[in-house]
């Protein structure tokens, strides 16, 4: 007689005596699940067959144990095959050229970037970046070529331009060949300051008063006076000599600074030592 596992449908050949007239609990050797086998119909067995009469309940147990061993061997064989296949896959993976992998990754990134670049927000960001770059370049160009106008409107920017090596001359005049001389005249010490005023602009510009500042060793101003030049206006290429004298200058004055009233070019030089003979 054949009984069937209700869980995995594995079939077993059994005898009537193995199950008996009351039934018994049976465990499947294949899926390890147990079930209660109902009594078998004795009429379904051939009592005249000596195999049926001689097979006892232990025969079923032997059959189940045999089947369990067969299933365990099959599972072990499958595990060995799976391990061998995994080892082969690992060896194949180790043989892949790293350069090929990097090439495939770059190709994937290019495809991904191409897809992203087609999105509306990506196009909007590109337009915004280009517009921002154009505006920035325009501002830098205007700040460079129009720095005179910028400083005229915002005088504080003169210090910023000077800090980056782009001094701005908004007056259109500058000093050149500044010299100082300490000398004695009629027994009195006199400081003589002379320089040339140079025109820079094509159009005539008014020449403002010149401020002369005496500086101490620490760079601080210790004495200052202003002088009105003889020339009233100048243009590019013109030069005018400027000279002023200060009787009894401060003994701690070591430098002279010239500047135009209202701001402009400045230049300083160290005064010379007193003359050893009296001048006329």
């Amino acid at each position: 007689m054949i009984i069937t596992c209700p869980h995995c449908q594995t079939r077993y050949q059994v005898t009537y005596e193995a199950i008996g007239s009351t039934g018994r609990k049976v465990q499947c050797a294949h899926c390890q699940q147990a079930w209660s086998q109902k009594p078998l119909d004795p009429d379904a067995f051939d009592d005249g067959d000596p195999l049926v009469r001689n097979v006892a309940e232990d025969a079923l147990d032997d059959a189940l144990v045999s089947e369990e061993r067969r299933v365990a061997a099959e599972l072990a064989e499958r595990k060995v095959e799976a391990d061998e296949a995994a080892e082969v896959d690992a060896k194949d993976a180790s043989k892949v050229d790293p350069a090929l992998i990097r090439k495939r990754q770059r190709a994937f990134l290019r495809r991904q970037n191409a897809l992203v670049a087609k999105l509306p927000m990506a196009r909007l960001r590109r337009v915004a970046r280009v517009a921002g770059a154009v505006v920035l370049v325009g501002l830098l160009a205007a700040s460079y070529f129009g720095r005179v106008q910028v400083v005229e409107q915002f005088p504080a920017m003169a210090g910023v331009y000077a800090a980056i090596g782009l001094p701005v001359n908004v007056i259109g005049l500058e000093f050149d060949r500044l010299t100082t001389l300490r000398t004695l005249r009629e027994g009195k010490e006199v400081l003589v300051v002379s320089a040339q005023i140079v025109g820079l602009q094509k159009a005539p510009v008014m020449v403002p008063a010149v401020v002369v500042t005496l500086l101490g060793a620490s760079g601080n101003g210790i004495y200052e006076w202003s002088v009105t030049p003889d020339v009233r206006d100048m243009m590019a290429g013109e030069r005018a000599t400027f000279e002023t004298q200060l009787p009894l200058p401060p003994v701690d004055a070591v430098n002279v600074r010239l500047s135009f009233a209202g701001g402009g070019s400045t230049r300083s030089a160290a005064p010379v030592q007193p003359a050893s003979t009296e001048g006329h």
Side-chain angles (χ1 to χ4, degrees), residues 11 24-25 29 37 211 214 240 259 263:
R11 305 176 69 185
R24 62 167 290 184
K25 188 175 183 180
Q37 177 62 45
V211 178
L214 301 183
S259 61

Side-chain angles (χ1 to χ4, degrees), residues 10-11 21 32 70 112 143 148-149 181 185 211 224 226 245 261 268:
T10 301
R11 305 176 69 185
S21 60
Q32 305 300 318
R70 186 189 67 79
Q112 187 180 35
S143 300
V148 174
Q149 292 76 12
L181 175 64
R185 291 184 178 177
V211 178
E224 186 175 270
S226 63
Q245 299 180 11
S268 61

Side-chain angles (χ1 to χ4, degrees), residues 21 28 42 56 123 160 168 174 215 225 241:
S21 60
C28 179
R123 290 196 295 267
V160 177
V168 179
E174 69 177 2
L215 306 176
W225 74 97
T241 301

Side-chain angles (χ1 to χ4, degrees), residues 256-279:
V256 174
R257 181 179 64 202
L258 299 184
S259 61
F260 291 106
S265 300
T266 61
R267 187 169 180 178
S268 61
V272 297
Q273 295 298 321
S276 58
T277 58
E278 182 176 333

Side-chain angles (χ1 to χ4, degrees), residues 89-123:
D89 292 340
K91 291 181 179 179
D92 293 340
S94 63
K95 295 179 181 178
V96 178
D97 187 3
L100 178 61
I101 295 178
R102 291 193 295 269
K103 182 178 179 181
R104 291 179 178 177
Q105 289 176 343
R106 289 194 295 268
F108 173 76
L109 291 177
R110 284 196 296 269
R111 292 194 299 270
Q112 187 180 35
N113 293 335
L115 292 175
V116 173
K118 295 179 180 179
L119 298 177
M121 287 302 297
R123 290 196 295 267

Side-chain angles (χ1 to χ4, degrees), residues 49-60:
D49 189 345
L51 291 176
V52 173
R53 293 193 302 269
N54 295 333
V55 174
E57 182 176 349
D58 292 340
L60 176 60

Side-chain angles (χ1 to χ4, degrees), residues 215-222 252 254-255:
L215 306 176
S218 61
N220 59 309
I222 57 177
D252 53 348
V254 296
N255 284 289

